[in-house]
Amino acid sequence: MTIKVITFGTFDVFHVGHVNLLQRAAKLGDELIVGVSSDALNIQKKGRAPVYSQQDRLRIIAAMSDVNRVFVEDCLTLKRRYIKEHGADILVMGDDWRGKFDEFSDICEVIYLPRTPSISTTEIIEVVRQPQFC
């Protein structure tokens, strides 16, 4: 039996924390499926457009050797449907979401993985936006 793992994220300003999460998630099963938040969903969630377009973010995630399949996540409230459609056995999310996805434990195992310390997309964006002085 093939064990399918699914995870979700925006994956904007791709960094080592994203790599760590995806590599650890991939080790939990035989196939890793990744839902990438649409541009519209990111605007709804965070009040801003992603730095990289939806198409670019899909390409970045699909290029990782640990990732078997990517798809666009259009709506947060459709996670149950996405999990079922992709036949996922395990849902993996970062531990900053601990407890938020336990409702899906009736259809798959839910695992929260530790975030990489001192790495945050939001903080990276803030640093980049600050004026640089010599």
Side-chain angles (χ1 to χ4, degrees):
M1 178 181 137
T2 300
I3 297 173
K4 295 180 183 178
V5 178
I6 194 168
T7 192
F8 298 86
T10 301
F11 303 103
D12 199 16
V13 187
F14 195 73
H15 54 68
V16 71
H18 295 133
V19 173
N20 290 341
L21 176 76
L22 294 172
Q23 286 179 336
R24 287 182 285 169
K27 289 179 182 172
L28 296 172
D30 304 303
E31 185 177 335
L32 179 59
I33 305 155
V34 181
V36 176
S37 299
S38 69
D39 289 345
L41 179 56
N42 196 68
I43 292 167
Q44 177 189 342
K45 286 191 309 187
K46 299 181 181 183
R48 67 168 176 80
V51 173
Y52 293 107
S53 73
Q54 175 179 305
Q55 283 309 106
D56 287 348
R57 291 180 290 114
L58 285 165
R59 286 185 61 208
I60 290 166
I61 300 304
M64 288 200 57
S65 61
D66 292 305
V67 175
N68 300 96
R69 222 178 328 154
V70 298
F71 68 95
V72 176
E73 178 187 21
D74 289 308
C75 182
L76 293 175
T77 59
L78 297 178
K79 281 213 179 13
R80 179 173 294 275
R81 185 170 93 186
Y82 296 134
I83 292 166
K84 287 182 175 182
E85 282 177 359
H86 292 282
D89 302 293
I90 301 171
L91 167 63
V92 171
M93 296 299 290
D95 65 357
D96 52 326
W97 293 101
R98 185 169 303 286
K100 301 273 197 262
F101 297 97
D102 292 352
E103 67 186 273
F104 304 119
S105 62
D106 63 327
I107 58 170
C108 66
E109 182 178 0
V110 179
I111 297 175
Y112 300 97
L113 295 177
R115 290 178 55 99
T116 302
S118 303
I119 299 287
S120 160
T121 300
T122 303
E123 288 176 15
I124 291 169
I125 291 169
E126 292 301 317
V127 168
V128 170
R129 285 187 174 160
Q130 291 179 5
Q132 301 297 314
F133 298 101
C134 298

